[in-house]
Amino acid sequence: MTEKNPLIELKDICKEFVTDEVVTKVLHHLNCSIYKGEFVAIMGPSGSGKSTLMHILSFLDRPSCGQYFFEGEDTSDFDDNRLAALRNKKIGFVFQSFNLLPRTTVLDNVILPLEYNGAKDKKAAALKALQGVGLEHRLDHFSNQLSGGEKQRVAIARALVNEPEVIFADEPTGNLDSKSGQQVMEILRDLNDQGKTIILVTHEQYTAAVAKRIIK
């Protein structure tokens, strides 16, 4: 069930990069709304600006022009500390390359985001997140002892542990075989069915097909 007001609203968003006086324009006056509880796939070929858009949406980067409203607030006025706090409390990330700490247990990888927000019972929260992806039996394994599919499920548990408003998944099946990729997409679909907002970046049509709306 979507709400009346958008969770995310982009108005006339541009992004350009300047290197040695060469200006590269990546995003061109983009307008878009995403509502709470949606599952949206952002599609496009390599180099079309998908990851740049995701970095702006997830407060890792700022647009060159335009306005980005999150929960009704214009984020262009937010300082870096406010953006960092939003990233920690409201956003969960799932990356193509997993980004797990290698010689660290599964449990400690999932606890990591909680170290920055003063959560009380970190272990219980991490256990709950791991149960959500069916990996509670791997708690004490090091992340470099896991298969690719298991690593991505740990990454999803880590993204969930703060109970964020939005989960961003950047090519989450890119490094996985088709069976593991399917399992990961099923987990994301289940999370969306539970009410989580999912924003997926992909160039694969069959991965995007799991989403309920595709932005090209």
Side-chain angles (χ1 to χ4, degrees):
M1 190 69 187
T2 56
E3 295 183 0
K4 206 170 175 184
N5 298 317
L7 175 68
I8 285 169
E9 190 173 11
L10 304 181
K11 292 186 175 178
D12 215 28
I13 291 286
C14 310
K15 183 64 183 179
E16 55 187 40
F17 297 97
V18 182
T19 327
D20 298 329
E21 297 179 16
V22 176
V23 177
T24 307
K25 295 186 177 184
V26 182
L27 300 177
H28 306 262
H29 303 286
L30 197 66
N31 294 282
C32 168
S33 296
I34 295 172
Y35 291 83
K36 187 176 170 66
E38 278 203 282
F39 190 157
V40 175
I42 297 169
M43 279 202 81
S46 291
S48 59
K50 301 186 302 294
S51 292
T52 300
L53 175 58
M54 180 175 271
H55 288 158
I56 290 170
L57 291 174
S58 58
F59 311 116
L60 288 168
D61 199 0
R62 295 177 186 262
S64 305
C65 72
Q67 291 172 290
Y68 172 16
F69 293 88
F70 185 82
E71 295 183 324
E73 288 189 90
D74 187 347
T75 62
S76 48
D77 301 329
F78 294 177
D79 63 16
D80 289 346
N81 289 338
R82 178 87 188 272
L83 293 178
L86 275 173
R87 274 198 308 274
N88 188 249
K89 291 192 174 122
K90 301 278 188 177
I91 306 293
F93 293 100
V94 181
F95 299 97
Q96 179 177 349
S97 54
F98 320 129
N99 288 13
L100 301 178
L101 299 173
R103 289 176 297 281
T104 308
T105 65
V106 164
L107 185 64
D108 286 339
N109 264 288
V110 176
I111 283 173
L112 192 64
L114 299 172
E115 300 292 352
Y116 303 100
N117 72 356
K120 289 195 170 76
D121 200 343
K122 298 180 179 73
K123 188 173 179 182
L127 274 170
K128 184 182 169 193
L130 282 162
Q131 284 164 352
V133 297
L135 275 184
E136 61 274 25
H137 61 293
R138 291 277 199 231
L139 295 183
D140 300 321
H141 283 65
F142 291 112
S143 61
N144 54 359
Q145 296 174 313
L146 304 179
S147 69
E150 287 172 331
K151 285 178 183 173
Q152 196 58 294
R153 281 153 66 192
V154 173
I156 292 171
R158 185 184 56 192
L160 285 174
V161 75
N162 270 338
E163 302 200 348
E165 282 294 324
V166 193
I167 294 170
F168 288 98
D170 193 355
E171 301 279 9
T173 60
N175 283 336
L176 304 179
D177 61 61
S178 57
K179 187 183 174 190
S180 299
Q182 206 174 344
Q183 288 174 336
V184 163
M185 293 312 297
E186 280 169 12
I187 290 170
L188 291 176
R189 187 169 53 202
D190 288 346
L191 290 170
N192 178 245
D193 289 343
Q194 293 162 30
K196 291 284 180 201
T197 306
I198 313 272
I199 299 175
L200 166 76
V201 161
T202 184
H203 65 276
E204 296 165 338
Q205 189 68 50
Y206 66 88
T207 301
V210 177
K212 293 173 182 168
R213 178 157 70 105
I214 295 174
I215 298 172
K216 292 192 177 179

